[in-house]
């Protein structure tokens, strides 16, 4: 007969108290700090989805990945990849078990909220030249004024050639900006609602103020700007109509805090999941089940389009693998598991009323699991089964991966969704996981290094699970 337990023993045995993963584990802190160095480099090199594709493809090629051939039958251990429409990456390592025994998918996104140039962007007002923008994704517009901005993109020229460019990243480059009113003249603007502090039509990017020297030229500043662009990139004003150009914050990723425990930067949503998912995929050797890492596009505007997760591109890839191997793709889908990797809001003590403390996700408590997302009564949520949450959390526990579980914030305040439901639509069980972010969707977002590292550990153990 065991003796009666004390209340303290009961509390330890029965109650659940989430912990800060690295507080008592110096080795976790050190490993997370080391992993974050590679991540910051990735962030700085990949501010747009196209750049994230370029950097990822380079990493994949260096790791021996071959371009996918739909007609080829692959052997266990083979590493393959393809690029979807210049803006999404799919990489896979063939497993020892058949495809019919299921794929292991990890899907993150590489598009970020930003300002896109409009099709006819260039204009002059008084003695300044500007670009007109159309914002992409959910931004708080007032956050984009009076910060240094860089311009990244691609022109397709009249002769069919393509030119990629980025201005504002090199220390020697000029930067750009959106201007705001001075407080001395702010009385009327101060009465606006915060959501209209800066309006969409006021997100105009300042480009220059020098005119061409000849007299009697209309819009001489605009023309001078165009001449500079022509000299550098060989483009005309008409080439803006066949371009994709994004305005992003010019700053680099930096450690935040005296203790350097956090990373601040642009685009944590969702590179903070994309980078660890890609690293885990690259490091996976001879997995039991075929692993697929997807870095997708268009998540921030609803996953539509040929590079978004509502497109079939990932599922076609799985089907083509099955067909070449003479296997049934429906059976393969049914036996697959997907981690839908996307960021969530980190509980912010300064904005505590936006959260429900007990179900918040906290920077430093490890990778955050979301059984469901959605808004107003879980609307539009892909609600993962308890059994799947159980399988994944037991796997994480067995491998000492720190995880937490929660919801986005206070009920009925807002909400959000992920790509999970588009995977679920294909009959593939899927669970949302990701890194909590402070100031999500802002030009300078903040994450905790421990959570980044635990996301990486999550993808690693998921890819390499024995069975
Ligand atoms: Mn996201
Ligand atoms: Mn987002």
């Amino acid at each position: 007969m065991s003796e009666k337990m004390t209340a303290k023993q009961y509390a330890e045995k029965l109650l659940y108290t989430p912990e800060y993963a690295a507080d008592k584990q110096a080795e976790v802190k050190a490993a997370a700090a080391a992993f974050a160095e590679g991540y910051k480099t990735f962030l700085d090199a990949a501010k747009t989805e196209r750049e994230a594709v370029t950097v990822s493809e380079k990493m994949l090629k260096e790791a021996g990945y071959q371009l996918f051939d739909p007609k080829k039958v692959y052997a266990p251990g083979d590493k393959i990849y393809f690029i979807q429409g210049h803006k999404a990456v799919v990489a896979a390592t063939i497993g020892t078990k058949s495809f019919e025994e299921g794929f292991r998918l990890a899907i993150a996104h590489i598009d970020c909220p930003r300002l896109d140039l409009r099709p006819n962007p260039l204009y002059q007002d008084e003695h300044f030249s500007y670009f007109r923008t159309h914002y992409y994704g959910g931004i708080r517009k007032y956050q984009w004024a009076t910060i240094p901005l860089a311009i990244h993109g691609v022109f397709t020229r009249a002769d069919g050639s393509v030119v990629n460019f980025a201005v504002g990243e090199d220390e020697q480059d000029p930067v750009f900006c959106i201007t705001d009113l001075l407080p001395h003249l702010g009385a009327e603007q101060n009465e606006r609602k915060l959501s209209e502090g800066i309006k969409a039509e006021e997100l105009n990017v300042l480009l220059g103020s020098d005119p061409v020297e000849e007299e009697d030229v209309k819009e001489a500043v605009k023309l001078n700007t165009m001449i500079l662009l022509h000299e550098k990139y060989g483009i005309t004003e008409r080439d803006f109509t066949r371009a994709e150009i994004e305005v992003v914050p010019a700053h680099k990723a930096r450690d935040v805090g005296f203790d350097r425990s956090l990373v601040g930067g642009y685009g944590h949503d969702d590179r903070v999941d994309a980078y660890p998912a890609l690293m885990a995929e690259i490091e996976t050797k001879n997995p039991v089940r075929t692993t697929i890492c997807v870095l997708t596009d268009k998540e921030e505007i609803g996953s539509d389009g040929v590079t978004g997760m509502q497109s079939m591109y990932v599922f076609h890839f799985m089907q083509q693998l099955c067909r070449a191997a003479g296997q049934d793709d429906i059976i393969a889908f049914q036996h697959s598991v997907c981690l839908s990797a996307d960021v969530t809001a980190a509980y912010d003590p300064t904005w505590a009323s936006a959260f429900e403390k007990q179900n918040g996700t906290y920077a430093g408590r490890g990778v955050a699991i979301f059984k469901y997302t959605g808004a107003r009564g879980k609307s539009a949520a892909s609600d993962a089964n308890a059994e799947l949450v159980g399988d994944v959390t037991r796997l994480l526990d067995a491998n000492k991966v720190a995880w937490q579980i929660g919801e986005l914030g206070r009920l009925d305040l807002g909400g959000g969704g992920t790509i999970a439901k588009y995977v679920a639509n294909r009959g593939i069980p899927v669970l949302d996981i990701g890194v909590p972010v402070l100031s999500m969707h802002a030009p300078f977002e903040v994450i905790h290094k421990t959570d980044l590292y635990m996301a990486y550990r999550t993808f690693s153990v998921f890819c390499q699970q024995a069975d």
Side-chain angles (χ1 to χ4, degrees), residues 109 269-270 299-300 342-343:
H109 70 89
D269 180 4
D270 185 31
E299 193 281 336
E300 295 295 354
D342 206 346
V343 300

Side-chain angles (χ1 to χ4, degrees), residues 202-215:
E202 293 164 345
L203 291 169
N204 301 319
V205 180
L206 179 59
L207 302 174
S209 62
D210 273 352
V212 286
E213 280 174 16
E214 289 99 316
E215 285 172 22

Side-chain angles (χ1 to χ4, degrees), residues 8 25 74 77 98 129 146 159 165 260 275 335 340 350 385 397 420 443 445 447:
K8 199 178 170 202
Q25 299 179 68
Y74 288 100
S98 72
S129 59
T146 69
D159 64 0
F165 72 98
R260 295 180 173 265
Y275 177 76
H335 291 158
S340 158
T350 300
N385 284 344
D397 285 341
E445 304 175 307
I447 60 102

Side-chain angles (χ1 to χ4, degrees), residues 240-254:
F240 281 105
T241 62
R242 45 192 167 223
E244 284 179 349
I245 301 170
E246 305 179 13
V247 180
V248 296
H251 49 238
K252 303 263 186 285
R254 303 282 293 268

Side-chain angles (χ1 to χ4, degrees), residues 16 37 68 89 130-131 212 236 274 326 381 390 456:
Y16 170 45
E37 291 305 307
F68 172 54
V89 183
Y130 294 94
F131 280 148
V212 286
T236 68
Y456 162 67

